[in-house]
């Protein structure tokens, strides 16, 4: 009898998998922090005999090489992937016994599209396909985006995605579970389609790649692609070179004087508390990236790559969780850290800074007199925006902050998290800012004039 355990990585919108029988198991697309994978195997009482990568990842740093080293597992990597370490090269049709006593075999299936070398793995029990680990190929209702490798290859890879989806659908039984790595909020997904569980049969009737002809599918796919997170450019090379083991020990402790000195040196000081607490009081010049949100994605996207970062958290547990999130995207060691609250982080002669929060109803009475800044992505704004608002996506704001017109700035996104990040950036730049902490759906109800392009 086989099992499949999903290992959630919600901050990145990904899943890894532990699958096997009574004695041995394979791990597919493991996260950088491999301790949680080892613990999952221990709970099952199985040995990790194999680690498999569907592709060289562009959105996170893999733990595959380290996991294979620690456990002695064979490391399966697509043969066409250019990497700088020893691995077991896998080609289309290769079969690997995972737990012979349980009749479990992993069959490699070439599914190019997300990357040229992308490979899916079909778990077979006594010759019957029971699960397909589809990585960035067939996702739930969509496919992985094809534009992360080389712009000149994007259309070619989009067509390959269509063909790969059809190959999976034609070669596997309808009841086969489809288990993708991306697509649970990941920017590696080509759309926002979400869901928890699916099968080949369900995807045949709901997935755009399987319900549309190739030309229509490709045109719609390419038209819907959004900006690529800036840090992605560093993930592929790190994975191809072979990531180093992680160090999750606590960072050096920074006192108020050191925090001030790091800010004066132009370093980033990131406050991980929730946006309500940050607005009420924070270290002047610090930025707010909520630990509960997509911390790794947005911090790695906005921070100049390699710039030292000091983390401020309300508890050691929150700090430790943030470290774990950040190593997954290559921010390996904070320069320093501190726990507590603003009173602990500012020097005796200073007081915490603050800024107000509001709702769209509050904005409705002021919209004509203030600057309204929309920091959503272009795809979100295309569905409707506040008349007269300025649009600068959150990921572009650090380099375009000078484009925000003078005056009091009311900044909004779709729900409040990104608006809080933007408000902290503006506040640090000395602007008068109000963070709109509200759902965009409330804008029209509040009486604001909305325009749909």
């Amino acid at each position: 009898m086989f099992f499949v355990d999903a290992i959630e990585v919600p901050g990145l919108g990904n899943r890894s998998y532990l699958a096997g029988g009574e004695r041995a198991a394979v791990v597919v697309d493991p996260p950088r922090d491999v301790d949680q994978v080892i613990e999952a195997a221990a709970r099952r009482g199985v040995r990790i005999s194999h680690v498999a990568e569907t592709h060289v990842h562009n959105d996170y740093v893999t733990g595959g090489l380290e996991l294979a080293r620690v456990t002695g597992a064979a490391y399966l990597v697509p043969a066409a992937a250019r990497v700088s370490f020893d691995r077991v090269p896998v080609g289309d049709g290769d079969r690997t016994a995972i737990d012979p006593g349980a009749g479990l075999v992993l069959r490699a299936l070439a599914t190019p599209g997300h990357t040229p070398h992308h490979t899916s793995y079909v778990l077979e029990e006594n010759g019957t396909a029971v699960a397909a680990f589809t990585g960035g190929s067939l996702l739930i209702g969509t496919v992985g985006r094809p534009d992360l490798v080389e712009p000149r290859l994007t259309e070619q890879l989009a067509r390959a995605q269509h063909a790969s989806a059809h190959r999976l659908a034609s070669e596997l039984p309808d009841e086969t579970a489809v288990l993708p790595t991306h697509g649970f909020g990941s920017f590696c997904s080509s759309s926002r389609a979400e869901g928890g569980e699916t099968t080949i049969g369900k995807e045949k009737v709901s997935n755009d790649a399987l319900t549309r002809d190739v030309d229509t599918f490709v045109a719609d796919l390419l038209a819907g692609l959004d900006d690529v997170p800036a840090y992605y450019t560093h993930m592929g090379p790190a994975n191809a070179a072979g990531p180093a083991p992680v160090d999750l020990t606590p960072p050096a402790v920074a006192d108020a004087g050191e925090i001030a000195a790091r800010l004066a040196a132009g370093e980033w000081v990131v406050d991980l508390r929730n946006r309500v607490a940050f607005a009420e009081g924070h270290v002047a010049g610090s930025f707010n990236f909520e630990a509960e949100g997509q911390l790794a994605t947005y911090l790695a996207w906005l921070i100049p790559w390699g710039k030292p970062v000091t983390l401020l958290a309300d508890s050691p547990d929150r700090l430790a969780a943030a470290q774990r999130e950040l190593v997954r995207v290559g921010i390996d060691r904070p320069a320093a850290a501190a726990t507590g609250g603003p009173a602990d982080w500012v020097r005796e002669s200073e007081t915490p800074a603050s800024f107000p929060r509001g709702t769209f109803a509050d904005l409705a009475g002021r919209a004509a007199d203030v600057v309204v800044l929309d920091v959503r992505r272009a795809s979100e704004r295309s569905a409707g925006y506040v008349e007269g608002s300025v649009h600068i996506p959150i990921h572009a704001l650090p380099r375009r902050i000078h484009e925000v017109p003078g005056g009091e700035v009311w900044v909004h996104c779709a729900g409040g998290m990104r608006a809080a990040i933007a408000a902290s950036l503006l506040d640090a730049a000395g602007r008068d800012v109000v963070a709109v902490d509200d759902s965009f759906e409330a804008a029209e109800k509040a009486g604001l004039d909305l325009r749909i392009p």
Side-chain angles (χ1 to χ4, degrees), residues 106-133:
L106 200 66
R107 176 164 61 95
L109 202 67
T111 49
H114 187 48
T115 66
H117 61 263
H118 190 283
T119 300
S120 297
Y121 297 94
V122 179
L123 184 66
E124 298 177 342
E125 183 181 42
N126 297 320
T128 299
V130 292
F133 301 101

Side-chain angles (χ1 to χ4, degrees), residues 361-386:
D362 298 326
L363 175 59
R366 299 287 311 281
D369 306 316
V370 300
V371 177
V372 180
L373 176 62
D374 181 350
V375 295
R376 297 174 300 161
R377 296 187 302 277
S379 59
E380 297 172 282
R381 186 172 170 89
S382 67
Y385 59 89
V386 176

Side-chain angles (χ1 to χ4, degrees), residues 193-274:
E194 302 294 345
E197 299 179 355
T198 192
T199 63
I200 288 292
K202 290 179 181 178
E203 292 306 304
K204 282 182 177 179
V205 298
S206 62
N207 195 298
D208 289 347
L210 298 174
T211 59
R212 299 181 181 180
D213 67 85
V214 62
D215 290 333
T216 301
F217 167 77
V218 169
D220 290 345
L221 177 63
L222 299 185
L225 293 174
D226 221 325
D227 290 344
V228 177
Y231 69 93
Y232 275 26
T233 190
H234 304 284
M235 300 297 96
N239 288 323
V246 299
D247 178 4
L248 291 175
T249 58
V253 177
D255 60 16
E258 183 176 349
I259 291 170
R262 289 188 176 278
L263 282 168
E267 297 181 11
W268 276 37
V269 174
V270 172
D271 191 325
L272 302 168
R273 294 176 302 145
N274 70 70

Side-chain angles (χ1 to χ4, degrees), residues 100-184:
L104 294 179
V105 171
L106 200 66
R107 176 164 61 95
L109 202 67
T111 49
H114 187 48
T115 66
H117 61 263
H118 190 283
T119 300
S120 297
Y121 297 94
V122 179
L123 184 66
E124 298 177 342
E125 183 181 42
N126 297 320
T128 299
V130 292
F133 301 101
T134 55
S137 182
L138 188 67
L139 310 186
I140 300 177
T142 185
V143 296
R145 57 192 301 170
D147 60 330
L148 302 180
V149 177
E150 159 62 54
R152 291 172 294 181
L153 296 178
T154 297
E155 182 172 349
Q156 175 185 331
L157 289 176
R159 291 182 178 277
Q161 280 289 52
H162 188 270
S164 292
H166 280 264
R167 182 184 185 191
L168 288 164
S170 64
E171 293 192 15
L172 300 178
D174 283 357
E175 59 271 21
T176 307
V178 175
L179 303 171
T181 300
H182 305 311
F184 310 96

Side-chain angles (χ1 to χ4, degrees), residues 333-364:
R333 291 294 296 169
T339 57
D344 306 304
W345 303 331
V346 298
R347 293 173 293 191
E348 290 185 6
S349 60
E350 300 169 334
T351 57
S354 64
F355 55 75
R357 297 162 49 249
T359 64
F360 280 108
D362 298 326
L363 175 59

